[in-house]
Structure formats: structure tokens, C-alpha cells
């Protein structure tokens, strides 16, 4: 479900940040988020918004909002 999906994305994001630093890790996660969420509801809007994310905290907030939107 959506909870497992967002948990997996956040785990991947944390590993990226740990390995590559926040600047590069988050930028690389942008494409991964698009791959992970392809075919899910509202994924096109999420893809547009994730391109504005610059921090792990921002990614967490974005995905929390996405979960609320999709669960509604």
C-alpha cells in the first residue's frame, strides 16, 4: 500500500543522503520518487512537486502530504 511505498522511498532517501550528502542525494531521489510512484494516484502532481525538494525534511513533508491526499 501507500504506507509501505512511502516508507521505502524515505528509507532509500536516507541511504542516499548518508552515502552522497543531502545536496546530491536528494537531487538523485527526485528521479527515484518518479519511478517508485509511477502509476499511483496523483503521481504526476507528486513528480512536479518533488523537483522542488532540496532536503530530506522536505521529502518527508512532501510524502506525508501525498499519503494524506491519496488516503482521502
Amino acid at each position: 500500500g501507500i504506507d509501505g511505498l512511502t516508507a521505502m522511498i524515505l528509507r532509500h532517501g536516507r541511504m542516499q543522503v548518508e552515502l552522497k550528502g543531502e545536496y546530491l542525494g536528494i537531487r538523485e531521489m527526485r528521479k527515484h520518487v518518479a519511478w517508485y510512484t509511477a502509476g499511483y494516484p496523483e503521481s504526476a502532481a507528486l513528480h512536479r512537486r518533488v523537483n522542488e525538494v532540496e532536503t530530506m525534511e522536505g521529502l518527508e513533508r512532501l510524502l506525508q502530504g501525498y499519503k494524506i491526499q491519496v488516503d482521502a
Side-chain angles (χ1 to χ4, degrees), residues 37-49:
T37 60
Y40 277 84
E42 303 299 323
S43 62
L46 179 65
H47 299 168
R48 287 190 298 273
R49 292 194 308 265

Side-chain angles (χ1 to χ4, degrees), residues 18-70:
E18 185 177 323
L19 182 66
K20 299 185 177 191
E22 192 164 57
Y23 182 84
L24 186 57
I26 291 299
R27 277 156 182 76
E28 289 186 7
M29 277 307 296
R30 292 173 180 173
K31 66 181 172 201
H32 295 295
V33 170
W35 294 337
Y36 278 123
T37 60
Y40 277 84
E42 303 299 323
S43 62
L46 179 65
H47 299 168
R48 287 190 298 273
R49 292 194 308 265
V50 78
N51 286 325
E52 300 171 4
V53 170
E54 296 186 354
T55 63
M56 189 65 207
E57 182 181 333
L59 182 61
E60 291 168 351
R61 279 195 313 268
L62 176 66
L63 291 174
Q64 182 64 33
Y66 178 68
K67 280 182 13 177
I68 291 168
Q69 180 182 11
V70 170

